[in-house]
């Protein structure tokens, strides 16, 4: 370790190369860091030249520069570092300075500027740490300090202006490199090839291609760069035309225009980048929306297909059940078909959605499926049923529910079957459900079931006729039967000529 090196913790140390010619300041800094910030390792260089040599030999995390060195000042050293392509974070300390110097120093992409006041040593470790962590964060984001440096294509026919502006930028805005060209045609050729320009700065009155024509040409070529037009003799009309063509700025060569220029360039590049980011974001959003819409359409189609498959499967299952009932009990089979048809018509008359109508019809065609479990002799008994026999028959709702409850279906088939003998006032069976507890599909099924059962012949009695059936519905409207369902049923028969399908 060199005698001018302070380090207590090699493993996680932050390596600093410090250009400082004053031995007192160097010693003070070393001992302060030794005790207060031992995580730093500091190498001291007494001159600019030694600093550059050590930088080439060693590996550092951050550079600390005293502004005044015996062989060069801070700005000169910064210029050397820029020329060498050094991209490390740099912090400048100085005993004397003013606002102009600060701006100059920071324009080099320097991380921070610290005046040597009474407390500067206390704040220095934190400032250096910040500079290092900012730099690392930028590197992680894929940026380097180099992205803060700009390459400008400068098209100017006057050799005097070309020189003046280039010199001004070297001094006032060293982070901007101007590549001067005295012909617009030549500049166009340069832009057609590979390049890394951030902006085009152009004199309006180029002899070969005037500014407005040039802007048209780069647009046609698809060259996407911000352009700033400068002119010796401005007029409002040209300014408007230039800006309408997409120029980012229009600057008249007045007394202080050179001072304005770096700010105008930075501003234009920032706006250009913002516009690009906005465009990118917009197209990403459009793309995202489109792909989402496509996914939704695809998903909807998939769901629709799945639903159709399910409906077909349920339809097949129901058909098997209908056939089973038909074989065992033709009376019940006919009743189911006719009451299912009536239930569907009532639902349509009430204006229910199609999927509900389909569910009601499907459930209706097997609503008495539970009767399969009741002894045939009871079902077809021509005489009056005993109380016990009737209680067995009443079980058919629950049995039907048991048969259907595991059938995967888009409709509440099992529940409709379970509830088709419930009544609005709770006098029905098997659960004595009331009002809203009875689902609409079951309320419709109940009315259709009663009307069909009363109107048709039964093994134990002749049909009572449709008028008697409708009278029953009218009489118990609101108590046994849902008002709207009863009304729709009565309308169908009395006003719309509905007839039960004959078996
Ligand atoms: Fe029934």
């Amino acid at each position: 370790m060199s005698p001018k090196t302070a380090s207590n913790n090699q493993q996680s140390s932050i390596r600093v190369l410090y250009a400082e010619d004053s031995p007192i300041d160097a010693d003070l800094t070393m001992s302060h860091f030794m005790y207060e910030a031992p995580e730093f390792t500091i190498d001291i260089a007494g001159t600019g030249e030694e600093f550059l040599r050590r930088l080439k030999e060693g590996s550092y995390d951050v550079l600390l520069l005293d502004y005044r060195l015996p062989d060069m000042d801070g700005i000169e050293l910064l210029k050397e570092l820029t020329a060498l392509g050094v991209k490390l974070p740099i912090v400048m300390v100085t005993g004397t300075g003013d606002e102009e110097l600060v701006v100059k120093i920071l324009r080099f992409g320097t991380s921070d500027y610290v005046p040597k006041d009474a407390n500067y040593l206390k704040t220095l470790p934190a400032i250096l740490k910040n500079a290092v962590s900012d730099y690392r964060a930028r590197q992680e984001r894929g940026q380097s300090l180099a992205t803060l440096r700009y390459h400008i294509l400068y098209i100017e026919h006057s050799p005097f202006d070309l020189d003046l502006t280039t010199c001004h930028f070297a001094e006032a805005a060293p982070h901007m490199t101007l590549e001067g060209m005295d012909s617009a045609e030549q500049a166009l050729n340069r832009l057609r090839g590979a390049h890394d320009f951030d902006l085009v700065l152009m004199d309006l009155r180029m002899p070969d291609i005037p500014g407005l024509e040039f802007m048209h040409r780069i647009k046609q070529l698809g060259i996407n760069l911000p352009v700033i037009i400068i002119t010796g003799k401005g007029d409002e009309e040209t300014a408007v035309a230039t800006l309408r063509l997409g120029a980012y700025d229009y600057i008249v060569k007045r007394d202080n225009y050179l001072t304005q220029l770096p700010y105008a360039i930075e501003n234009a590049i920032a706006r250009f980048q913002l516009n690009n980011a906005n465009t990118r974001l917009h197209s990403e959003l459009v793309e995202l929306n489109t792909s989402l819409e496509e996914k939704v359409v695809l998903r909807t189609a998939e769901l629709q297909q799945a639903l159709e498959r399910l409906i077909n499967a349920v339809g097949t299952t129901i058909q098997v059940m209908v056939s089973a009932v038909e074989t065992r009990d033709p009376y019940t089979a006919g009743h189911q078909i006719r009451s299912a048809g009536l239930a569907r018509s009532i639902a349509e008359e009430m204006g229910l959605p199609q999927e509900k109508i389909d569910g009601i019809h499907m459930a209706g065609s097997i609503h008495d499926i539970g009767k399969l479990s009741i002894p045939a002799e009871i079902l077809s008994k021509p005489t009056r049923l005993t109380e016990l026999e009737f209680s067995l028959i009443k079980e058919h709702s629950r049995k039907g529910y048991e048969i259907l409850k595991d059938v995967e279906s888009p409709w509440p088939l099992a529940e409709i079957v379970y509830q088709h003998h419930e009544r609005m006032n709770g006098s029905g069976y098997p659960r004595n459900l009331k009002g809203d507890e009875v689902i609409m599909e079951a309320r419709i099924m109940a009315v259709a079931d009663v009307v069909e059962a009363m109107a048709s012949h039964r093994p134990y009695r002749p049909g009572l006729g449709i008028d008697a059936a409708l009278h029953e519905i009218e009489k118990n409207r609101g108590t046994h039967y849902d008002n709207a369902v009863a009304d729709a049923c009565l309308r169908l028969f009395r006003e719309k000529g509905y007839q039960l399908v004959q078996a």
Side-chain angles (χ1 to χ4, degrees), residues 18-40:
Y18 182 16
E20 175 59 78
D21 63 325
S22 148
I24 299 173
D25 280 356
D27 283 349
L28 271 176
T29 308
M30 296 294 271
S31 55
H32 178 80
F33 273 75
M34 185 92 78
Y35 295 107
E36 301 298 327
E39 65 273 32
F40 284 88

Side-chain angles (χ1 to χ4, degrees), residues 367-368 371 396 420-421 449:
H367 71 274
D368 279 338
K371 285 186 177 170
H396 79 280
H420 80 277
H421 283 288
D449 186 26

Side-chain angles (χ1 to χ4, degrees), residues 203-319:
D203 188 276
L204 179 70
R205 293 173 213 282
M206 290 300 290
D208 56 346
I209 308 172
L212 295 183
E213 168 68 16
F214 183 86
M215 292 199 57
H216 274 298
R217 299 271 284 271
I218 61 168
K219 221 171 228 181
Q220 277 168 355
L221 289 169
I223 295 163
N224 187 26
L225 274 182
V227 178
I228 291 181
I229 297 290
I230 42 177
T231 177
K233 216 169 88 183
D235 66 78
E236 201 184 26
E237 206 180 314
T238 319
V240 171
T242 316
L243 295 175
R244 278 214 182 120
L245 269 173
Y248 271 70
D249 219 333
Y250 178 86
I251 293 169
V252 181
K253 290 180 184 170
R254 293 206 184 91
D255 289 348
N256 60 347
Y257 88 97
L258 276 180
T259 322
Q260 281 177 21
L261 215 44
Y263 296 105
I265 289 174
E266 262 169 19
N267 187 299
I269 292 174
R271 279 189 292 137
F272 174 74
Q273 285 170 346
L274 199 65
N275 281 347
N276 277 353
N278 267 343
T279 312
R280 222 171 26 245
L281 203 64
H282 180 73
S283 66
E284 275 168 18
L285 270 179
V286 168
E287 209 170 288
L288 193 69
N289 267 341
T290 315
S291 78
L292 271 180
E293 273 166 20
E294 277 168 3
K295 273 183 191 153
V296 168
V297 170
L298 210 66
R299 191 83 191 109
T300 312
E302 276 171 13
L303 284 174
Q304 192 58 38
Q305 281 173 4
L307 187 63
E308 276 166 21
R309 278 199 299 276
L310 185 61
I311 290 171
N312 284 338
V314 174
T316 309
T317 310
I318 300 294
Q319 210 45 55

Side-chain angles (χ1 to χ4, degrees), residues 333-394:
H335 161 68
Q336 288 191 139
I337 291 165
R338 287 187 298 274
S339 43
L342 174 56
R344 176 168 60 191
S345 297
I346 294 173
E348 283 169 352
E349 174 67 19
M350 289 173 72
L352 294 193
Q354 191 57 46
E355 67 267 21
K356 274 209 169 166
I357 295 172
D358 291 342
I360 288 167
H361 186 248
M362 200 69 90
S365 58
I366 43 145
H367 71 274
D368 279 338
I369 185 83
K371 285 186 177 170
L372 282 179
S373 61
I374 298 168
E377 59 272 26
I378 299 179
L379 283 179
S380 54
K381 193 179 171 189
T383 53
R384 202 177 168 81
L385 297 170
T386 65
E387 209 165 300
L388 180 70
E389 287 164 342
F390 191 52
S391 70
L392 270 177
I393 286 200
K394 276 175 160 184

